[in-house]
Amino acid sequence: MAVDVILGLQWGDEGKGKIVDYLANNYDIVARFQGGPNAGHTLKFDGKKYILHTVPSGIFREHLINVIGNGVVIDPITLKREIEQLDAAGVNYKGRLLVAKKAHLILPSHRMLDAASESAKGKDKIGSTLKGIGPTYMDKTGRNGLRIGDLFEPNFEERYEALKDKHLKLAAIYPEIDFDMAAEEEKWMASLETIKSLEIVEGEWYLNNALKEGKRILAEGAQGSMLDIDYGTYPFVTSSNTITAGVCIGLGLAPQKINEVIGITKAYCTRVGSGPFPTELHDQTGEQLRVEGAEFGSTTGRPRRCGWIDLPQLKYAIMLNGVTQLVITKIDVLNIFDTLKAAVRLNIDGKSTDQWPFDIDRREVVPEYDTMEGWMTSLETMTSFDEMPEQAKAFIHYLEKQLDVPVSMISTGPDRKSLILRDVSAVV
Ligand code: GDP
Ligand code: IMO
Ligand code: MG
């Protein structure tokens, strides 16, 4: 059996949580492969809303296993809080929530360094979620990190103290910040018991054996392709590989095991934090998208920057990921616009192109738009593509033609049930 992948094609918050939760029923295992509590994946069903940061979005589907893979970085404090949320919701996660031994730990001092480094950058700051992601991945590649498996070693405390001391020395290069290390450390230490009580596995062996037994795996991405450490809008990115290749690294699965790559994009575009965003709107339309789409960060509550969909950006992400099917989310947010736009090319320093340059953050970029008619009606009751207004169908056909990938699902609201499915084999 093979692995299917769900990931974001923009700058995160495309609706991955909702789609993973919906599709999870078709799988035996959902596995997160990268990122950490910088992610905020929202699930809505039965009138309730849950935001997951570290726990995979298959946790509410009772039959299946959820794996926090090797490529993820884990803050025990956040994970404990999420588990308490599951307890409160009456979800039985015992034996269903597995943690890979090679996943790295986020220490309180990683969070302190994240905050100190961002604050020192001033107006050049990345807009990090301040969850300690950058410093933790730095320690991973610098070969200094602590992993989940290390929690069970007799010298764990010694190694923890040594790493913390190193961080405290490093912090001296930054202006001082407000950070209550003693209190954070106490919470962190107390949270370790929760992690230890979960099932800790050799992630790569567990998943490869599961495939041999014919199990179906869904790999859940965090962040989005444009936040990828290598191919995103560097340096305004996160610190992991968010694209399909990250599945192989993060879960220890060979490339031939990957089957469908389901790429998610909003029907428009958002970004939270700093960095280039060619189609960003600073006008009333941008504000309408923010209000109508409730575009405020799931992790930090910050207002998200909003703009029209950017096709050169999506084509780039589709190329990097090998996307085989597209999911368009939040199409209902466009209900209120009589005219819709999509950037087809970018004019960069006076030259029209559909290729993003290396230094896009330092260039003059003007999007070239196609304009389409909106549908100006609610999509709430619609359950099939055929029922959709002609203008909405035309918008989907336009995207398929431009992006050369079939659209298999269209999300029309935050709820699990607000989804229009299409038979991909019949499309394109
Ligand atoms: P993720 O990080 O990719 O899982 O996405 P987030 O959960 O951070 O952000 C997506 C937001 O949009 C959440 O508040 C979802 O409840 C909401 N959402 C998801 N799909 C739809 C949709 O089709 N329509 C609307 N209006 N909201 C949606
Ligand atoms: P999900 O999985 C949106 C952004 C931050 C910042 C940059 C670096 O919910 O889609 P970091 O905390 O990684 O150092 O932040 O990346 N960012 C996200 N934006 N959705 C996310 O996750 C994000 N995770 C990080 O805002 O600009
Ligand atoms: Mg999110």
Side-chain angles (χ1 to χ4, degrees), residues 69-298:
N70 294 349
V72 177
V73 290
I74 301 174
D75 186 335
I77 300 176
T78 323
L79 184 55
K80 179 168 185 256
R81 223 180 283 134
E82 281 181 69
I83 284 172
E84 286 165 357
Q85 189 190 357
L86 295 177
D87 277 328
V91 176
N92 177 17
Y93 53 84
K94 292 271 182 284
R96 295 182 50 233
L97 181 57
L98 279 46
V99 186
K101 272 191 181 168
K102 291 193 171 86
H104 278 244
L105 283 163
I106 302 176
L107 272 50
S109 44
H110 283 129
R111 279 194 286 125
M112 175 198 66
L113 282 177
D114 209 0
S117 149
E118 276 284 88
S119 136
K121 281 187 173 145
K123 69 169 181 36
D124 295 326
K125 71 175 186 205
I126 289 162
S128 163
T129 59
L130 305 181
K131 302 294 177 191
I133 305 296
T136 305
Y137 278 113
M138 272 165 73
D139 271 336
K140 176 178 178 174
T141 51
R143 295 158 295 178
N144 295 310
L146 285 173
R147 300 178 292 174
I148 293 291
D150 296 328
L151 285 171
F152 302 91
E153 296 295 322
N155 64 350
F156 177 75
E157 274 190 33
E158 220 174 283
R159 290 178 62 190
Y160 169 86
E161 289 298 332
L163 189 54
K164 183 183 82 176
D165 281 350
K166 195 190 99 177
H167 293 160
L168 291 174
K169 287 190 189 112
L170 269 174
I173 66 169
Y174 300 115
E176 213 174 301
I177 55 149
D178 214 11
F179 190 88
D180 189 345
M181 181 62 83
E184 292 301 323
E185 199 166 40
E186 198 184 323
K187 264 195 277 176
W188 195 85
M189 291 294 176
S191 305
L192 295 182
E193 286 316 307
T194 308
I195 292 203
K196 286 183 177 170
S197 73
L198 299 174
E199 208 166 319
I200 311 293
V201 294
E202 306 264 6
E204 63 278 37
W205 287 105
Y206 180 86
L207 293 170
N208 279 288
N209 286 335
L211 283 180
K212 269 193 202 149
E213 287 165 16
K215 299 275 191 328
R216 297 155 303 175
I217 301 177
L218 180 61
E220 174 180 3
Q223 289 79 56
S225 305
M226 302 313 283
L227 290 169
D228 183 273
I229 181 71
D230 281 279
Y231 298 100
T233 45
Y234 194 90
F236 303 101
V237 292
T238 190
S239 297
S240 64
N241 284 114
T242 59
I243 59 174
T244 307
V247 175
C248 300
I249 301 289
L251 298 180
L253 295 169
Q256 310 93 291
K257 301 279 172 19
I258 292 175
N259 186 33
E260 291 293 321
V261 178
I262 304 166
I264 309 189
T265 168
K266 286 180 189 177
Y268 50 100
C269 193
T270 66
R271 169 163 208 172
V272 59
S274 330
F277 178 3
T279 59
E280 180 173 16
L281 296 168
H282 298 281
D283 58 6
Q284 205 206 338
T285 308
E287 188 55 29
Q288 279 176 300
L289 284 169
R290 183 159 35 251
V291 171
E292 199 64 17
E295 294 295 357
F296 296 89
S298 311

Side-chain angles (χ1 to χ4, degrees), residues 12-16 38-42 51-52 223 297-299 304:
D13 304 328
E14 297 88 350
K16 298 174 291 292
N38 47 351
H41 295 183
T42 314
I51 299 179
L52 298 170
Q223 289 79 56
S298 311
T299 298
R304 294 178 184 144

